[in-house]
Amino acid sequence: MAQAGLHAIIGYQTKKIIPREKHLMPGIVFGSMLPDIDIILVAMGALFHGINNAEKLFHRTCTHSFFTLIFIYLLFAILSELKKNPSIKIIGKGIAIGMLTHYLTDTFLWFNSIDLLWPLPINSINLWQFWSPS
């Protein structure tokens, strides 16, 4: 879970490059940790498939997909229109930005693959596949 703290710190540091908007920064920090909620899916899947198979099936798949990011942003945009509250859309934008920073961090700093285009039948992305740490 130390990774969640790192993702939160990186999300918080985006305040230096993101324009200030009310309710945006909490959304970014929350969104930067949100994709790692897939550990709950891994834990439940481990009951039926074993931990190694559950990790292959669920970790860095659906919650790390651009389609999930788009879905969450659109959900908040629709809720914003239905409730006539623009703050909801700003929170959704913050969550989407946070999720994007999470994806970038996982892609560039972690040695495991990530399914950025899940559920499409495209291979996972791993920038480190040609290098293995000693």
Side-chain angles (χ1 to χ4, degrees):
M1 287 307 285
Q3 293 176 2
L6 177 64
H7 286 298
I9 290 169
I10 291 171
Y12 183 72
Q13 291 302 316
T14 61
K15 71 178 182 177
K16 296 177 181 178
I17 58 173
I18 302 289
R20 290 180 184 238
E21 285 185 78
K22 191 174 182 182
H23 306 298
L24 185 66
M25 190 49 58
I28 292 174
V29 173
F30 178 73
S32 66
M33 295 184 294
L34 183 63
D36 280 341
I37 198 140
D38 61 2
I39 61 169
I40 295 171
L41 297 172
V42 171
M44 290 183 349
L47 298 173
F48 303 104
H49 300 289
I51 189 69
N52 291 332
N53 288 336
E55 188 174 4
K56 288 177 187 174
L57 288 172
F58 301 114
H59 190 54
R60 292 195 174 128
T61 55
C62 61
T63 59
H64 287 71
S65 173
F66 284 122
F67 297 113
T68 304
L69 183 147
I70 292 166
F71 173 77
I72 288 176
Y73 178 74
L74 289 176
L75 178 70
F76 276 82
I78 291 169
L79 285 174
S80 173
E81 292 298 319
L82 290 175
K83 298 281 186 180
K84 306 283 189 233
N85 185 352
S87 297
I88 297 173
K89 187 173 182 179
I90 294 171
I91 293 169
K93 181 169 71 171
I95 291 172
I97 292 169
M99 289 176 73
L100 185 61
T101 62
H102 184 106
Y103 299 168
L104 291 172
T105 304
D106 277 0
T107 302
F108 289 108
L109 296 182
W110 269 248
F111 299 120
N112 297 330
S113 60
I114 182 171
D115 286 322
L116 292 174
L117 296 174
W118 180 91
L120 297 178
I122 296 174
N123 290 336
S124 302
I125 296 170
N126 186 355
L127 297 179
W128 301 97
Q129 66 187 349
F130 301 111
W131 183 77
S132 61
S134 58

